[in-house]
Amino acid sequence: MESLKTPFKGILKDVKGRSACYKEDWVGALCSGIRILAPTTYIFFASTLPVVAFGEQLSRETGGTLGTVETLASTAICGIIHSIFGGQPLLILGVAEPTIIMYSYLYSFSKGRPGLGQKLYLAWSAWVCVWTAILLCLLAIFNACNIISRFTRVAGELFGMLITVLFIQEAIKGLVSEFSIPKGEDNKLEELQFPWLYTNGLLAIIFAFGVLLTALKTRNARSWRYGTGWLRAFTADYGVSLMVLFWTALSYTVPHKVPSTVPRRLVSPLPWDPKSLYHWIVVKDMGKVPLEYIFAAIVPAVMIAGLYFFDHSVASQLAQQKEFNLKKPSAYHYDILLLGIMTLVCGLLGLPPSNGVLPQSPMHTKSLAVLKTQLIRKKMVKSAKECILKQASSSEIYGRMQAVFIEMDASPTVNKELENLKEAVMKSDDGGDGKQKFDPEKHIDPHLPVRVNEQRMSNLLQSFLVGVSVCALPIIKMIPTSVLWGYFAYMAIDSLPGNQFWERMLLLLITPGRRYKVLESAHVSFVEMVPFKVIATFTIMQFFYLLLCFGVTWIPIAGILFPLPFFVLISIRQHILPKVFCPAHLQELDAAEYDEIAGAPKRSHSLRMDGEQQEADDSDDEDDFYDAEILDEMTTHRGELKFRSTLSFKEDRPQHDF
């Protein structure tokens, strides 16, 4: 209630905090030079492909009223606005699956109403956006972001699992549709006869599974044994995009006797076509919407506002996790206010609004962490080598590196953060063989604190590139629809690792006699600290709640209320679950952080013959690691940083029969 008595308090605090470092946001990007292009292109491809896929889905669900042009335009406009005026420029905006779902329900509702119909669908959607914008602004004004802490893991992961299920559903529906005649097509055409329909469907299955399997393989390229570190990093960062290009190119290798419409490709009007130009002037039709429907728009607006508030805040949280060591303040209240303004702009332009997206937002922060670490590392290695050439003492080497670090990133906790690096340097004073001497090329990386290049330029440039890609739609239309169905399946499967709800469901499938296998590898802390029966009860409860949420999406008109169960779940978590589960167990199962425990040691299985010298740990060979490779091991696919504890089976941890 205190928040309601002090309106604008949060917004003013955010504006004051971010305005003090606004100039530095741009200067930091300029100091990075051409290196800023690496994270820019990386996040551009990570943002554009989902938006194109969602555009195709939206076109199918709205009868072509909205499509890829509109989703790309919205992502570009909102991204540019947020990168310039936003409070947290690391946050990536885009049209996401929840928006597609809501706009699909709005279309279904409009089409069945005589007072609206397909003609006034966009005009009525604009009124929904007007009410949504008002509600978001009110939430920001009255400091609603103070309740962000109540968005716990149980709600966030359940929402993520629902989106995963919907992705799989869309991929399956898309593949099934490849065997049928598209709506509005002449079924007498040769390419729509059974033999070619069957051929199109089989090719669709090949391309979809080809994209899925190769994308999943390249996603984990950093852990490959083969290739250089640079090649593995490049494949991991851009492999998914390259696989989409590869399978698109492969689709053009079909024999010439096959009709040109096999396989099917994206169908979207060009940006300059009359059908694409109407939505820009949809505001002139808003007055034609009957008054009762204008006020009825409040109902979906409440759902969308709550959904955006939840989704945007969670994405912003993960983009600025405390483990990233960000130095600039957050701006939750101000960003929700700006989101309301952008929602209004999109609605008046006839575009589906954009909001903070996952996993692109933490991916963006992580890519900038790699960039900043590379810049600091380069200067520290250079200074250390200069000191070594001058035969300086270990304390002098460390002192020089510390000075370089402070020069590039002054922090009040710098001495504590560099303790491990200091210890590694000082070991060379102990004498011993040469293999214990400090090597800056090898020993700096593991002990360098995470630092992020907090700036606005990468977000601005990638949003601008998304806008440019609207003009490249004739090229984008060359992508087969089956490739997008494979990409939907990839997005679904790729989001599962790191989701503890999914990991607990898999745990239930393991027989009691083989559960020890879980403890031999890195595992989440609740596996050791919570009894198996409690884990099973909690997971089954969460699974049935997921079925409830998924069932709501199938209700023809009331499906627009699908965010409602998630708002109810927040209240259930606060008031009911603490009475059902032990607080200590609930804290582990619904932990705010991804706490991971190292696996129990196993017997080593050496590939060497007896008598050969074992020197794996002390080898002089340089390990071909890149900063991104280290950060990949530290984060889940959702972009959440892991907390790795080396304690396992210790007396100071409560143990339960597993």
Side-chain angles (χ1 to χ4, degrees):
M1 293 299 294
E2 185 65 28
S3 300
L4 298 176
K5 298 178 182 178
T6 55
F8 294 100
K9 179 181 178 181
I11 296 175
L12 293 175
K13 181 181 178 181
D14 290 344
V15 171
K16 183 179 179 181
R18 293 302 307 193
S19 60
C21 53
Y22 187 79
K23 180 180 178 181
E24 188 180 344
D25 287 341
W26 297 104
V27 174
L30 296 176
C31 292
S32 301
I34 197 172
R35 285 174 174 264
I36 200 69
L37 296 180
T40 297
T41 53
Y42 169 62
I43 206 63
F44 162 69
F45 284 112
S47 299
T48 305
L49 276 178
V51 172
V52 171
F54 293 144
E56 174 64 16
Q57 180 186 356
L58 186 60
S59 178
R60 287 160 48 87
E61 299 292 342
T62 62
T65 305
L66 293 171
T68 305
V69 172
E70 288 74 25
T71 55
L72 286 172
S74 172
T75 300
I77 292 172
C78 293
I80 291 173
I81 292 174
H82 184 80
S83 62
I84 298 175
F85 303 105
Q88 181 47 266
L90 300 179
L91 181 65
I92 299 296
L93 271 63
V95 176
E97 179 69 10
T99 301
I100 305 301
I101 297 171
M102 298 303 291
Y103 262 67
S104 299
Y105 285 129
L106 294 179
Y107 179 77
S108 299
F109 180 86
S110 300
K111 191 172 64 171
R113 297 296 179 276
L116 293 175
Q118 186 173 356
K119 184 178 180 181
L120 292 179
Y121 160 60
L122 287 181
W124 186 61
S125 298
W127 278 112
V128 174
C129 289
V130 169
W131 289 115
T132 302
I134 293 173
L135 293 172
L136 286 172
C137 291
L138 289 175
L139 288 172
I141 289 170
F142 290 100
N143 313 303
C145 290
N146 290 336
I147 67 169
I148 286 177
S149 59
R150 297 186 183 180
F151 296 161
T152 60
R153 178 177 294 275
V154 65
E157 293 193 336
L158 193 65
F159 183 76
M161 279 298 296
L162 177 63
I163 298 301
T164 296
V165 172
L166 293 174
F167 278 160
I168 293 291
Q169 175 185 268
E170 188 62 29
I172 295 173
K173 286 170 58 179
L175 282 178
V176 171
S177 70
E178 297 288 343
F179 288 90
S180 59
I181 300 174
K183 293 181 181 179
E185 294 289 343
D186 185 2
N187 57 10
K188 295 181 180 180
L189 294 175
E190 180 186 2
E191 57 266 27
L192 297 181
Q193 301 309 306
F194 175 76
W196 291 124
L197 278 178
Y198 192 69
T199 302
N200 182 77
L202 291 179
L203 286 174
I205 292 176
I206 293 172
F207 291 141
F209 276 91
V211 169
L212 172 62
L213 297 177
T214 55
L216 289 173
K217 189 68 176 177
T218 57
R219 176 69 171 81
N220 299 315
R222 286 194 177 93
S223 62
W224 290 357
R225 298 178 182 178
Y226 313 105
T228 63
W230 178 88
L231 180 61
R232 295 196 305 268
F234 179 83
T235 304
D237 290 341
Y238 301 102
V240 178
S241 303
L242 291 174
M243 290 304 102
V244 170
L245 294 176
F246 171 77
W247 287 98
T248 299
L250 199 63
S251 70
Y252 282 91
T253 63
V254 295
H256 293 295
K257 293 183 180 181
V258 176
S260 59
T261 55
V262 177
R264 292 177 193 164
R265 304 186 188 277
L266 286 176
V267 178
S268 175
L270 297 174
W272 45 85
D273 287 347
K275 192 173 182 180
S276 294
L277 296 176
Y278 165 70
H279 65 78
W280 297 107
I281 54 173
V282 71
V283 66
K284 68 182 180 63
D285 288 337
M286 291 178 65
K288 299 178 183 179
V289 178
L291 187 63
E292 61 269 24
Y293 288 115
I294 292 177
F295 287 102
I298 296 177
V299 176
V302 171
M303 296 296 105
I304 296 176
L307 190 63
Y308 280 5
F309 179 75
F310 174 81
D311 211 15
H312 199 76
S313 299
V314 170
S316 185
Q317 274 184 315
L318 291 180
Q320 47 191 330
Q321 299 169 68
K322 63 180 182 180
E323 291 73 32
F324 280 128
N325 294 322
L326 301 184
K327 302 303 178 185
K328 298 173 184 177
S330 60
Y332 291 108
H333 306 276
Y334 171 73
D335 279 345
I336 291 296
L337 176 68
L338 186 62
L339 177 63
I341 296 172
M342 290 187 294
T343 300
L344 177 62
V345 171
C346 287
L348 297 180
L349 293 178
L351 302 173
S354 296
N355 65 286
V357 289
L358 290 172
Q360 291 92 328
S361 296
M363 284 168 61
H364 183 219
T365 307
K366 189 173 74 170
S367 66
L368 293 171
V370 172
L371 171 63
K372 187 62 177 284
T373 302
Q374 288 173 341
L375 294 174
I376 296 176
R377 177 189 181 280
K378 183 178 179 181
K379 289 196 174 184
M380 290 181 70
V381 169
K382 182 180 178 181
S383 64
K385 285 184 174 180
E386 290 175 352
C387 291
I388 292 173
L389 288 175
K390 296 178 181 178
Q391 297 183 342
S393 65
S394 296
S395 58
E396 290 174 332
I397 295 174
Y398 171 73
R400 179 57 184 153
M401 288 194 297
Q402 183 188 43
V404 170
F405 187 89
I406 294 175
E407 179 186 351
M408 297 193 67
D409 196 324
S411 171
T413 60
V414 63
N415 290 328
K416 183 178 180 181
E417 291 178 310
L418 294 179
E419 278 182 359
N420 291 335
L421 178 62
K422 182 178 181 180
E423 183 180 349
V425 177
M426 294 305 176
K427 278 184 179 179
S428 60
D429 275 345
D430 299 336
D433 56 37
K435 293 178 182 177
Q436 293 182 347
K437 289 185 178 179
F438 176 72
D439 184 348
E441 289 284 359
K442 295 168 60 177
H443 296 151
I444 285 182
D445 276 344
H447 307 299
L448 202 57
V450 176
R451 285 291 183 267
V452 177
N453 187 15
E454 301 178 61
Q455 42 73 48
R456 297 176 180 270
M457 187 62 72
S458 58
N459 200 346
L460 176 62
L461 290 177
Q462 75 88 19
S463 300
F464 178 76
L465 289 175
V466 172
V468 171
S469 64
V470 175
C471 300
L473 202 60
I475 299 175
I476 295 175
K477 288 173 66 175
M478 298 170 68
I479 301 175
T481 52
S482 52
V483 167
L484 293 185
W485 310 143
Y487 185 71
F488 270 113
Y490 161 75
M491 287 193 292
I493 295 174
D494 188 60
S495 66
L496 293 176
N499 188 316
Q500 291 187 8
F501 178 27
W502 170 253
E503 292 173 356
R504 280 187 274 107
M505 286 198 293
L506 293 181
L507 189 63
L508 298 185
L509 302 178
I510 302 176
T511 58
R514 295 187 63 83
R515 287 181 194 148
Y516 72 92
K517 291 283 188 180
V518 177
L519 303 176
E520 289 184 347
S521 58
H523 50 275
V524 189
S525 60
F526 66 74
V527 172
E528 292 188 21
M529 303 183 69
V530 180
F532 182 77
K533 289 184 179 179
V534 176
I535 295 175
T537 303
F538 188 84
T539 305
I540 292 171
M541 178 214 72
Q542 205 171 0
F543 177 73
F544 279 106
Y545 205 89
L546 173 64
L547 293 181
L548 171 66
C549 296
F550 181 63
V552 172
T553 65
W554 279 81
I555 304 175
I557 299 301
I560 202 169
L561 302 176
F562 88 93
L564 189 59
F566 294 98
F567 307 148
V568 175
L569 182 60
I570 294 174
S571 179
I572 292 175
R573 170 62 180 88
Q574 294 290 319
H575 305 292
I576 298 178
L577 292 186
K579 298 177 181 179
V580 177
F581 297 96
C582 169
H585 296 162
L586 188 59
Q587 184 177 1
E588 284 292 328
L589 293 169
D590 193 25
E593 298 165 342
Y594 193 99
D595 192 3
E596 191 176 71
I597 300 174
K602 296 182 289 187
R603 291 184 60 186
S604 73
H605 300 278
S606 176
L607 296 178
R608 302 178 185 225
M609 302 296 291
D610 291 340
E612 289 191 30
Q613 192 175 8
Q614 299 286 331
E615 297 182 348
D617 295 334
D618 299 325
S619 175
D620 281 333
D621 295 337
E622 183 176 346
D623 202 357
D624 192 12
F625 275 94
Y626 272 62
D627 299 318
E629 195 166 344
I630 298 172
L631 281 173
D632 253 20
E633 295 178 357
M634 295 167 54
T635 55
T636 67
H637 286 210
R638 188 169 174 245
E640 188 177 11
L641 281 150
K642 300 176 182 177
F643 290 80
R644 176 68 63 86
S645 172
T646 56
L647 296 177
S648 182
F649 309 105
K650 300 294 183 182
E651 294 180 358
D652 57 347
R653 299 181 73 94
Q655 298 294 314
H656 298 279
D657 293 335
F658 183 64

